[in-house]
Amino acid sequence: MSRFIIVSNRLPITVKSENGVPMLSDSAGGLATALKGPHSKSDSLWIGWPGDISRIEKDRIHELEGKLSEKRFSPVYLSSSEVNKYYEGFSNGVIWPLYHYLVDKVQRSAWADWKAYHEVNQKFADIIASRSSGSDMIWIHDYQLSLLPGLLRKLLPNSKIGFFLHIPFPSSEVFRILPWREEILEGMLGSDLIGFHTYSYLRHFKRAVAKILGSDEDENSEGICINGRNISLGVFPIGIDVERFSSLARKDEVQNEIEGIRHENPDHKILLGVDRLDYTKGLIRRLMSFERLLEREPELRGKVKLIQVVVPSRTKVDSYEHLKKEMDELVGRINSTYGSIKSLPVHYLYRGISQEHLSALYCAADVMLVTPVRDGMNLVAKEFVASRNDENGVLILSEFAGAADELAEALIVNPYDVDRLALFMKKAILMSENEKTSRMKRLRERVFNYDAFHWTSAFVNALEKVAMPLANQPLVISSPDDFEKLFEKIKRVPEIHLFLDYDGTLVPFAETPEIAVPDKELLEIISALSVHHGIDLHLVSGRTRDTLEKWFGHFSLSLHAEHGFFSKMSPESEWIQNHHENPAWKAMLEKLLDEYTLETPGSMVERKSGGVAWHYRMSDPEMGVKQARNIRKRVDIDFQGSKVEMFNGEKVLEFRAKGVNKGAVILKTLQKNPGSSTCIAIGDDRTDEDMFAVLPPGSIGIHVGKKNTRAAFRFADIACTRLFLRKLSEL
Ligand code: GDG
C-alpha cells in the first residue's frame, strides 16, 4: 500500500533523557508546524534524525523507538562524526553560506566533508527504501538532503518524489563555485516536483541547470526536461499557523506580559528584533542603523529602545563566535554612548524565550525589524503580523528575505544601506495610526490566506498531479547483456539497414562543428561495419557534402548530407541532389542570421547548399535561447509563404527546404529494397526523431542521451553507441 512519507534532516521532536529514560517533546519550528496537519491526519511516516541520543541508555533504545513509532516517526541515527561532517560541516559550513551569497563565510575545512554529505544522503536513501512500499509519495526537505531525490530515484523508480528548498537558491554565478555543482543539481533533479519560496529562486535553479548540465532553457515551460524525465518546478511560499499566533496573543498571560513590557517605559517606542545568531540575519548592520538613528535624531534619545532577542546557535563555529563578540561590543558601545541611569537603548537577550514571551514581544513592539542580508523566507515577519490582532505595529522588512515578495505593505529596505535603514526606523516610529492600520490590515489578509496549511496542501496537490514517472519511457540499454537481447531480434534477418547520425551520436559535440573530426576508434568501427555483408550502412547527418566526403568518402557506405538534401550511395558514385527546389529564401535568411550573429556573442552561421544553420552552443544559454526565439518570430513573419522549414536541433536552429528530412532517407532506402525492411536508426537530436517516426515494425530506434524521444530504446552516451556498434560489427 502506498503511503505519504515526509523526510527532513531532523525529526520534529527533541529527545531528552530523564534518569536515562527517553522522553520526547514536540518542537515548534516552522516546518514541524506546517506538516503537523498532514502528518496527523494521514497514515504518513516521517523519517529523520532524532538528534543526539547519546544520553539514552543502550537498553532503553527500544523504548525510544516505541515512542517514536507511536508518532509514526522513523529514526535515522547519525554518529557524532556524521553530524560534524554532514550537518555542521558540509551543510552548514559550505551550502548554507554559499546559498546565502556569503562566499567569504564558506568554511574551507568543511570542503572536505562532501564525502560524508554524500554518504549520509545515501544512508537516508537506503533507510527510506527499506521502509517504502515502492510506490509512495515522498516529500523531502531542504539543503541537507539535496542529493537524496537522485539517490532515491535509483532505488525507488516508481515513487513520486517532491523536494522543497527552504533556503534561497542562489544565482548560477554563485552556485557554480561549488565543485560538486553537477552532483547537487542531478540530486535535486531526481524529484518529480521541486518547490521554492520565490520565483527568483526557481529562475536561478533553472538557469543553473541550463548552464551547468546544458539543458535547453525553455522560458515558456514551468519545468525542466532532462534525463528523459519531466521535472516540475513551482513557487510555494511557506506560511505559518496563523491561528496559533493570533490566539496566543489573546491569552491573559500574554496580555499581562504586554502590559508589563509597556509599563516599564510607557513613553518609549519599542523596536524589536528576534533572530537566531547567524551572519545572514543582518544583526550588525541593524545595530549600526539604530546607532545612526540615535546619532542623527537627538530628540529620539531616551524615547526609543531596541529589544533584540538573539537565540544562540552553532556556538562552536569560529565565524559565529566572532559575530557574537562583535554584537556584544556594538551593544556595549551604543548603550554606553546613549544610555542613561534610567534606561538603556538596547535590551539584548542572548537566549531563547518561551512562545508566550515571544508573543508578548510581538504585540508590544511598535516596530518589528526583520532585516536579514539574505533569508529563504523568514517566518518571524509573518508571526509578527499574525500576532497583531490590534492591526497596529510597523514591519520593516529586508528586500533580501523571501517574505518581501509577498509582504509588499511592509516598509521594504535594503539592509546593507545603513543610513537608509536608520531613516526607515524613524519613518516607522513616526508613522500615523491610519497608515499603520491600513498597511497591517493588508499584511494580515495575505498572511491569513496563505498559511501553513495552504502551503502544505498546495505542494502536496501539485505533487499528486505530476505525471507518474517512467510511463512510456524508452528502455535504457547499457550493458553487453542488454545488447544481446537486441541482437536476438535481428540475428535471423538477412540484411540490416543501419542509419547513423554523426554529431552527438558517434562523436561528442565540439565547440565548433569543424573540431568534431572522427577519431581512430570511430574510423575502425565504421570500417568494420562498412565491410560487413549483412549491414547496409548509412551516415545521415546535417553536415555538408564536403565534410562527409572528406571524413568517410573512402568507406563502402551511403552518405546523406544536409539531412538528406544530398546523397552519395557508394565511394564510386556521384552526389545526387534529392530535392530540386531552388532555395530563393536562402540568401535573405543568411543576411538575417548574420545580423543576429553580430548581436549574439558566441553564435555562428553554418552555410550549406540546401539550407543554413545558426549555432548558439557557445553563447550564454539564456541569451542563445532568447535570440533563437527572436529569429523564429522574424522568420515566421518575413518568410511567410517561402518553402523554408525551421526547427531546433541541439543548440542550433536549422533551416532547410520543406520536405527535406532524415526520415525521407529511410523511406527511400526501403522503397529501393522492398521486402527486407529491418532498420536500426541511432540518433540524438530532434532531426533524428524524423527517422524514428518512419521506422517500419520490427525495427529498432535508439536515442542517445537524455531527451524525450519517440525511440523505443535509449543509450546513455556515445561510449555506449560505440560499444554497441563494435559488437554489431562482430555479429
Ligand atoms: C529556514 C529558512 C525559512 C526564534 N527565536 C525564538 C523562536 N524563534 C522561532 C521563530 C520562527 C523560527 O524560530 C525562525 O524562523 P525562520 O524563518 O528563520 O525559520 P528556520 O527554520 O530557522 O529557517 C527560512 C524557513 O526555513 C521556513 O521555510 O523561512 O528562511 O532559513 O518560527 O518564531 N521561538 C521561540 N523562542 C525564541 O527565542 N519559541
Side-chain angles (χ1 to χ4, degrees):
M1 202 187 69
S2 49
R3 281 180 115 169
F4 181 47
I5 300 181
I6 300 165
V7 188
S8 59
N9 168 56
R10 272 301 299 263
L11 284 173
I13 38 112
T14 307
V15 179
K16 284 200 188 113
S17 155
E18 281 180 16
N19 303 326
V21 180
M23 305 295 286
L24 303 188
S25 62
D26 288 344
S27 90
L31 183 64
T33 308
L35 294 173
K36 209 168 53 189
H39 183 60
S40 61
K41 275 183 219 134
S42 68
D43 174 38
S44 67
L45 185 67
W46 193 324
I47 299 180
W49 174 45
D52 181 11
I53 54 152
S54 58
R55 298 227 175 118
I56 309 290
E57 287 167 13
K58 287 242 163 9
D59 53 359
R60 301 253 189 197
I61 294 287
H62 68 281
E63 241 176 90
L64 169 66
E65 295 190 336
K67 287 184 175 168
L68 289 171
S69 146
E70 273 167 30
K71 290 176 178 276
R72 279 178 282 106
F73 292 149
S74 186
V76 177
Y77 298 118
L78 299 179
S79 69
S80 61
S81 153
E82 283 172 329
V83 174
N84 279 341
K85 292 177 176 176
Y86 139 82
Y87 181 63
E88 303 292 356
F90 199 78
S91 299
N92 292 338
V94 177
I95 302 186
W96 175 269
L98 197 77
Y99 282 29
H100 288 88
Y101 294 81
L102 297 165
V103 181
D104 61 329
K105 294 283 191 292
V106 171
Q107 277 168 250
R108 230 175 311 154
S109 57
W111 215 242
D113 295 332
W114 160 256
K115 195 166 159 275
Y117 181 79
H118 190 284
E119 283 166 2
V120 172
N121 271 257
Q122 185 66 56
K123 183 174 194 172
F124 267 81
D126 294 338
I127 290 176
I128 296 164
S130 72
R131 291 171 200 179
S132 160
S133 69
S135 58
D136 298 311
M137 190 156 98
I138 304 172
W139 188 5
I140 299 166
H141 292 267
D142 227 359
Y143 63 103
Q144 302 92 351
L145 299 174
S146 50
L147 302 180
L148 184 53
L151 298 171
L152 211 48
R153 172 69 58 207
K154 289 187 193 140
L155 301 173
L156 302 171
N158 294 319
S159 292
K160 270 194 186 184
I161 303 177
F163 180 83
F164 191 85
L165 185 68
H166 288 263
I167 66 173
F169 193 90
S171 150
S172 61
E173 295 304 314
V174 169
F175 177 73
R176 77 205 161 97
I177 291 172
L178 271 180
W180 309 276
R181 56 210 183 168
E182 285 89 356
E183 287 91 332
I184 290 184
L185 291 180
E186 276 163 6
M188 288 171 73
L189 289 168
S191 321
D192 295 297
L193 171 67
I194 307 176
F196 302 89
H197 286 308
T198 74
Y199 185 64
S200 56
Y201 306 159
L202 182 155
R203 286 286 322 140
H204 290 155
F205 178 75
K206 228 176 151 183
R207 187 94 216 275
V209 174
K211 212 162 179 142
I212 296 164
L213 300 183
S215 74
D216 267 338
E217 225 177 331
D218 182 355
E219 272 180 24
N220 300 322
S221 144
E222 288 299 320
I224 288 176
C225 175
I226 200 160
N227 296 350
R229 295 178 46 244
N230 290 314
I231 295 107
S232 301
L233 307 180
V235 178
F236 305 92
I238 195 170
I240 57 160
D241 183 349
V242 280
E243 289 309 332
R244 189 163 70 88
F245 282 91
S246 183
S247 54
L248 200 58
R250 285 196 194 92
K251 276 172 79 172
D252 289 346
E253 174 191 353
V254 172
Q255 286 294 324
N256 292 340
E257 199 168 343
I258 299 170
E259 283 309 310
I261 297 167
R262 287 203 180 127
H263 186 71
E264 220 174 280
N265 298 96
D267 51 347
H268 270 61
K269 292 283 182 189
I270 298 172
L271 284 76
L272 173 67
V274 177
D275 307 81
R276 195 168 49 74
L277 181 74
D278 198 288
Y279 41 70
T280 59
K281 299 294 181 185
L283 291 162
I284 298 297
R285 285 191 171 80
R286 186 185 306 166
L287 284 170
M288 284 164 67
S289 293
F290 186 62
E291 185 180 35
R292 191 79 35 100
L293 177 78
L294 297 174
E295 181 190 313
R296 296 231 173 120
E297 311 291 338
E299 72 286 359
L300 289 180
R301 293 179 201 160
K303 295 196 179 116
V304 290
K305 74 173 167 190
L306 168 62
I307 302 177
Q308 179 62 60
V309 180
V310 174
V311 184
S313 90
R314 305 178 194 171
T315 39
K316 282 176 251 155
V317 177
D318 282 354
S319 53
Y320 285 75
E321 210 178 302
H322 180 76
L323 174 62
K324 164 78 173 52
K325 203 161 159 266
E326 239 187 309
M327 288 276 298
D328 290 350
E329 283 170 11
L330 197 47
V331 170
R333 187 171 84 199
I334 300 171
N335 279 346
S336 59
T337 312
Y338 299 105
S340 68
I341 303 293
K342 278 195 262 164
S343 75
L344 292 175
V346 185
H347 286 230
Y348 173 34
L349 306 179
Y350 180 61
R351 71 185 85 112
I353 55 176
S354 70
Q355 288 286 315
E356 285 71 19
H357 201 78
L358 184 64
S359 169
L361 282 175
Y362 283 150
C363 294
D366 296 286
V367 182
M368 180 80 220
L369 295 167
V370 178
T371 59
V373 291
R374 207 55 75 165
D375 211 332
M377 171 55 75
N378 194 297
L379 300 178
V380 166
K382 294 188 173 184
E383 292 167 3
F384 168 68
V385 170
S387 306
R388 296 310 294 249
N389 300 320
D390 61 353
E391 296 179 340
N392 206 316
V394 183
L395 173 63
I396 294 186
L397 179 59
S398 162
E399 66 184 84
F400 299 118
D405 277 24
E406 289 179 88
L407 306 181
E409 292 79 14
L411 293 181
I412 306 288
V413 290
N414 172 0
Y416 288 91
D417 189 343
V418 169
D419 282 338
R420 216 168 147 71
L421 178 52
L423 282 175
F424 270 66
M425 287 179 181
K426 183 180 170 194
K427 183 176 170 178
I429 290 165
L430 301 178
M431 190 179 280
S432 72
E433 294 301 309
N434 265 352
E435 184 175 349
K436 280 196 252 182
T437 309
S438 91
R439 283 175 183 267
M440 185 53 80
K441 270 192 172 153
R442 298 241 185 152
L443 289 171
R444 285 173 68 80
E445 243 171 66
R446 170 82 209 176
V447 170
F448 276 74
N449 283 340
Y450 296 90
D451 66 358
F453 310 105
H454 178 274
W455 174 74
T456 314
S457 58
F459 189 92
V460 172
N461 288 344
L463 184 56
E464 268 166 1
K465 276 192 211 131
V466 293
M468 241 350 242
L470 294 182
N472 297 328
Q473 286 292 321
L475 197 64
V476 179
I477 301 290
S478 52
S479 67
D481 281 353
D482 295 335
F483 296 159
E484 281 308 317
K485 283 180 209 143
L486 279 188
F487 294 149
E488 281 306 312
K489 282 180 76 143
I490 53 178
K491 261 182 186 156
R492 284 173 294 277
V493 176
E495 190 181 36
I496 296 155
H497 305 296
L498 175 61
F499 299 92
L500 301 177
D501 166 50
Y502 182 70
D503 295 278
T505 300
L506 298 176
V507 292
F509 282 99
E511 287 172 349
T512 60
E514 6 3 303
I515 306 177
V517 178
D519 52 274
K520 189 164 163 276
E521 183 201 28
L522 177 62
L523 292 173
E524 276 170 19
I525 294 172
I526 295 292
S527 170
L529 289 168
S530 69
V531 296
H532 194 297
H533 289 304
I535 295 174
D536 167 36
L537 179 61
H538 298 254
L539 270 185
V540 194
S541 164
R543 297 259 180 181
T544 61
R545 281 174 293 178
D546 290 349
T547 308
L548 292 186
E549 178 87 55
K550 186 166 74 188
W551 291 344
F552 302 105
H554 52 293
F555 291 116
S556 170
L557 48 68
S558 302
L559 297 174
H560 305 274
E562 300 189 20
H563 305 111
F565 192 82
F566 297 105
S567 295
K568 186 171 193 272
M569 305 312 286
S570 69
E572 303 76 34
S573 59
E574 295 296 312
W575 282 97
I576 47 167
Q577 188 170 329
N578 293 317
H579 296 261
H580 294 282
E581 292 291 344
N582 175 21
W585 42 266
K586 204 169 154 267
M588 247 170 81
L589 188 59
E590 283 177 356
K591 194 159 163 272
L592 176 79
L593 296 181
D594 285 338
E595 282 167 24
Y596 274 93
T597 302
L598 279 179
E599 283 176 14
T600 318
S603 67
M604 57 162 290
V605 178
E606 188 187 358
R607 289 159 215 273
K608 308 178 184 184
S609 310
V612 55
W614 186 73
H615 293 264
Y616 54 94
R617 168 164 306 280
M618 299 277 286
S619 305
D620 174 275
E622 195 173 316
M623 186 177 194
V625 170
K626 196 167 136 249
Q627 292 289 70
R629 196 177 315 121
N630 290 339
I631 294 173
R632 290 180 80 113
K633 271 191 212 149
R634 279 281 299 276
V635 172
D636 268 338
I637 297 165
D638 297 356
F639 292 78
Q640 240 178 21
S642 306
K643 289 192 172 161
V644 58
E645 194 171 42
M646 64 178 160
F647 56 91
N648 261 101
E650 179 60 41
K651 306 254 193 280
V652 55
L653 206 50
E654 296 265 5
F655 299 88
R656 63 189 180 195
K658 278 195 176 135
V660 177
N661 72 61
K662 292 182 177 180
V665 170
I666 297 190
L667 292 177
K668 208 164 171 183
T669 308
L670 295 177
Q671 253 174 19
K672 278 199 211 152
N673 300 279
S676 68
S677 59
T678 295
C679 302
I680 301 177
I682 312 180
D684 73 302
D685 79 3
R686 151 76 190 79
T687 65
D688 302 310
E689 295 296 312
D690 292 333
M691 296 201 282
F692 304 141
V694 299
L695 286 175
S699 301
I700 297 169
I702 305 169
H703 169 80
V704 183
K706 302 170 172 177
K707 295 202 192 73
N708 273 346
T709 179
R710 63 195 306 159
F713 302 96
R714 183 190 298 285
F715 285 160
D717 51 26
I718 290 161
C720 192
T721 316
R722 288 187 177 199
L723 189 62
F724 172 82
L725 292 177
R726 193 179 280 287
K727 299 263 174 220
L728 184 67
S729 73
E730 290 162 5
L731 275 191

